[in-house]
């Protein structure tokens, strides 16, 4: 794993969740390439809904979990619809994009056996939502309307989703030290979000110079 740069610190938007702030270079590129960002954002909302649904199907016996995630999935799909509407209003066409290394990097760290697997899935969900919240908040002052207002509202939602995933994880940790495991996963997430990245995506790392 690459060492995280001196920017490693608790990110303000993520509270005690994120271990490193998004590099300013990412925001600079995002301001110029907001159309690509919007397309990937649509994909992220679909993935967020899909993740919640996958947990519902994988753990149907946990009715408290499935109830909360059912509501979450519906909200994520509403966000997807809103992003699609914005794309139409702003003349942004949908294009197929290769998945980023971010989700795969987190996925590769998830335990394969239960109950550790469920705990990891929920903790990773919290980290992804925290990073989304941080980046939405960082983008607000850099973009014009209607994206500025839209992202400001989404930041609030992502913070709420982050809290939900953390509560669900804590309630199901049992004998597992979930805080220690969360820190391990947060280290991986911080590296993925800050180390050099050949792609530019909503959850990508430091954009390579050739990509700017």
């Amino acid at each position: 794993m690459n060492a995280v740069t001196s920017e490693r610190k608790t990110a303000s938007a993520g509270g005690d969740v994120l271990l490193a702030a998004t590099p300013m270079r990412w925001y600079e590129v995002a301001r110029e390439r907001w159309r690509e960002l919007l397309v990937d954002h649509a994909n992220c909302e679909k993935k967020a809904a899909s993740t919640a649904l996958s947990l519902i199907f994988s753990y149907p016996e946990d009715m408290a979990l499935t109830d909360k995630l059912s509501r979450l999935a519906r909200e994520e799909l509403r966000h997807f619809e809103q992003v699609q509407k914005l794309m139409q209003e702003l003349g942004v066409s949908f294009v197929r994009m290769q998945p980023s290394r971010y989700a795969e990097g987190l996925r590769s760290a998830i335990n394969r056996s239960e109950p550790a697997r469920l705990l990891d899935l929920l903790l990773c969900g919290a980290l992804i939502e925290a990073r989304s919240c941080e980046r939405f908040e960082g983008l607000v002052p850099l973009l014009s309307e209607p994206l500025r207002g839209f992202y400001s509202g989404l930041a609030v939602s992502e913070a709420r989703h982050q809290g939900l995933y953390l509560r669900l994880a804590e309630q199901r940790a049992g004998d597992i030290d979930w805080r220690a495991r969360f820190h391990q996963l947060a280290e991986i997430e911080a590296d993925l979000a800050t180390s050099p990245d050949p792609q530019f995506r909503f959850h990508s790392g430091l954009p390579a110079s050739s990509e700017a």
Side-chain angles (χ1 to χ4, degrees):
M1 180 185 299
N2 296 325
V4 178
T5 68
S6 59
E7 287 186 328
R8 173 178 291 280
K9 60 182 181 289
T10 297
S12 60
D16 293 330
V17 173
L18 301 178
L19 297 184
T22 292
M24 283 306 302
R25 177 61 179 159
W26 184 90
Y27 290 108
E28 293 168 359
V29 173
R31 178 171 53 189
E32 300 299 322
R33 298 170 64 175
W34 62 268
R35 290 175 178 82
E36 293 172 63
L37 191 70
L38 196 58
V39 174
D40 191 51
H41 181 189
N43 288 324
C44 289
E45 296 293 356
K46 286 192 294 184
K47 291 173 186 174
S50 176
T51 295
L53 289 172
S54 177
L55 286 166
I56 289 172
F57 279 102
S58 297
Y59 304 95
E61 68 284 352
D62 190 338
M63 297 183 68
L65 177 79
T66 59
D67 177 67
K68 295 289 191 302
L69 293 180
S70 176
R71 300 178 190 182
L72 178 62
R74 292 197 297 274
E75 185 173 2
E76 301 288 16
L77 286 175
R78 285 197 298 272
H79 291 167
F80 168 67
E81 293 166 1
Q82 291 170 336
V83 176
Q84 279 200 315
K85 182 179 178 181
L86 271 179
M87 290 173 63
Q88 293 172 342
E89 292 177 356
L90 298 172
V92 177
S93 301
F94 180 83
V95 294
R96 293 183 180 274
M97 305 178 78
Q98 292 183 340
S100 71
R101 63 171 191 162
Y102 180 87
E104 182 56 36
L106 284 176
R107 189 180 300 115
S108 65
I110 291 174
N111 277 293
R112 296 182 181 276
S113 58
E114 299 293 357
R117 177 176 173 76
L118 174 58
L119 180 65
D120 280 5
L121 289 168
L122 295 172
L123 293 176
C124 284
L127 286 166
I128 293 169
E129 297 290 349
R131 183 62 66 185
S132 297
C133 176
E134 183 224 20
R135 292 192 171 180
F136 281 136
E137 288 189 344
L139 284 167
V140 167
L142 302 178
L143 301 176
S144 57
E145 296 293 354
L147 287 177
R148 177 183 296 173
F150 181 52
Y151 283 176
S152 179
L154 286 183
V156 176
S157 296
E158 303 305 277
R160 179 163 39 80
H161 297 169
Q162 165 200 313
L164 171 63
Y165 272 117
L166 273 182
R167 287 193 302 274
L168 291 173
E170 182 177 6
Q171 292 164 0
R172 286 153 184 80
D175 295 331
I176 302 174
D177 185 346
W178 70 270
R179 289 183 177 83
R181 180 54 179 161
F182 191 41
H183 187 81
Q184 292 173 348
L185 293 171
E187 288 277 356
I188 296 171
E189 193 280 339
D191 180 73
L192 291 167
T194 60
S195 58
D197 197 329
Q199 296 177 315
F200 174 67
R201 298 287 188 271
F202 190 82
H203 290 102
S204 58
L206 181 66
S209 298
S210 60
E211 286 284 308

